[in-house]
């Protein structure tokens, strides 16, 4: 919305999210997620701490400290510390395994089944960490994790999907479209531009209908308003 409104006013904002859930590693994720914030954290915290200029061990420590401070920026509570700490440790572990176990340089790109497995593992780690980020207290996040592992009822899955099929359909659509190549996106934009006012009005009507279908009974404030 910010990018679109800025374009109406003649400003062009850089991309801030670049299909982050297609990331093949936690390092790749932070190159794609909230690019403006992650770039600021890298430039003013990680590099200020010494970055990778003081040896490998110090680099790993700097990564962990940087992400801990990034977590505290979101809120001075244990759940944000846990979220930042897990990401910091994951970044350090990924860099160590890449260099000492797999012996890949930073430009290496996996393919095929290996890439698919890397995406699945990264996605599930990131989503697991979101449990701590989304809850207001550490105890509430831990209670959800406990429920997942000790009080999970897979037999209710069909009922949940049936009752909220539209929401699940939009979630699936959102994730699948993550994998659309940039060339396809550019082609769609070109088609919309050639479609003129009529096509634009139809698309706006479709978007409004979708929003009405998936909206909750109460207005949910934008999550970053709390930070």
């Amino acid at each position: 919305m910010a990018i679109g409104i800025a374009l109406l006013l003649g400003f062009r904002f850089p991309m801030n999210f670049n299909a982050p859930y297609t990331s093949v590693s936690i390092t790749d994720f932070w190159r794609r997620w909230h690019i403006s914030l992650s770039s600021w954290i890298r430039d003013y915290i990680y590099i200020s701490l010494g970055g990778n200029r003081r040896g490998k061990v110090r680099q790993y420590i700097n990564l962990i400290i940087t992400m801990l401070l990034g977590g505290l920026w979101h809120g001075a509570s244990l759940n944000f510390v846990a979220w930042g700490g897990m990401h910091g440790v994951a970044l350090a572990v990924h860099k160590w395994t890449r260099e000492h176990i797999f012996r890949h340089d930073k430009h290496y790109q996996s393919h095929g089944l290996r890439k698919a497995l890397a995406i699945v593992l990264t996605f599930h780690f990131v989503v697991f960490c979101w449990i701590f980020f989304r809850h207001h207290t550490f105890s509430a996040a831990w209670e959800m994790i406990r429920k997942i592992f000790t009080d999970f009822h897979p037999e209710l899955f069909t009922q949940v999907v049936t009752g909220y099929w539209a929401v699940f359909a939009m979630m699936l659509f959102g994730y699948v479209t993550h994998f659309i190549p940039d060339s396809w996106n550019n082609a769609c934009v070109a088609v919309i531009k050639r479609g003129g006012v009529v096509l634009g009005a139809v698309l706006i009507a479709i978007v409004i209908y979708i929003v009405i279908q998936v909206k909750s009974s109460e207005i949910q404030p934008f999550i970053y308003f709390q930070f």
Side-chain angles (χ1 to χ4, degrees):
M1 289 177 66
I3 292 174
I5 294 173
L7 284 173
L8 291 174
L9 299 176
F11 299 97
R12 184 174 295 276
F13 286 174
M15 180 183 295
N16 205 26
F17 293 86
N18 184 18
Y21 291 129
T22 63
S23 303
V24 296
S25 67
I26 193 63
T27 302
D28 188 31
F29 174 81
W30 280 105
R31 294 193 186 107
R32 296 169 175 269
W33 178 269
H34 210 323
I35 298 172
S36 58
L37 176 61
S38 58
S39 300
W40 188 93
I41 291 175
R42 178 198 63 204
D43 294 341
Y44 292 97
I45 300 180
Y46 175 68
I47 293 178
S48 297
L49 289 171
N52 59 357
R53 301 189 303 274
R54 301 182 181 180
K56 292 298 182 182
V57 174
R58 181 60 184 271
Q59 179 186 13
Y60 303 147
I61 294 173
N62 288 342
L63 284 170
I64 295 172
I65 293 175
T66 298
M67 293 309 300
L68 282 172
L69 293 175
L72 284 172
W73 177 86
H74 289 88
S77 60
L78 186 58
N79 53 318
F80 289 121
V81 173
W83 173 79
M86 286 189 291
H87 274 277
V89 170
L91 286 168
V93 169
H94 172 253
K95 289 189 179 298
W96 185 85
T97 55
R98 185 188 66 190
E99 296 171 359
H100 296 89
I101 303 298
F102 300 108
R103 300 187 183 282
H104 295 154
D105 60 35
K106 62 181 181 179
H107 301 295
Y108 172 81
Q109 293 183 352
S110 56
H111 301 280
L113 183 60
R114 182 175 295 181
K115 180 178 180 180
L117 180 60
I119 291 174
V120 170
L121 291 175
T122 304
F123 174 80
H124 282 82
F125 173 78
V126 169
V127 171
F128 177 80
C129 293
W130 284 140
I131 295 176
F132 293 91
F133 186 93
R134 190 64 183 91
H135 282 84
H136 295 289
T137 63
F138 183 84
S139 59
W142 190 252
E143 178 65 15
M144 172 173 279
I145 294 173
R146 189 187 68 80
K147 289 284 188 180
I148 291 173
F149 286 99
T150 64
D151 195 24
F152 185 69
H153 297 281
E155 67 275 8
L156 300 178
F157 180 72
T158 304
Q159 299 179 31
V160 174
V161 173
T162 303
Y164 297 93
W165 67 268
V167 175
F168 277 89
M170 288 302 300
M171 290 169 60
L172 179 62
F173 174 78
Y175 187 71
V176 169
T177 53
H178 253 56
F179 293 89
I180 294 178
D182 290 341
S183 59
W184 291 23
N185 288 328
N186 295 333
C188 290
V189 171
V191 170
I192 293 173
K193 287 181 178 179
R194 291 196 299 268
V197 177
V198 175
L199 179 59
V202 171
L203 291 175
I204 291 175
I206 293 173
V207 170
I208 293 174
Y209 174 79
I210 293 173
V211 171
I212 292 173
Q213 295 303 310
V214 301
K215 75 176 184 64
S216 58
S217 58
E218 297 180 359
I219 297 176
Q220 299 295 321
F222 182 47
I223 186 172
Y224 269 96
F225 284 166
Q226 64 183 294
F227 304 128

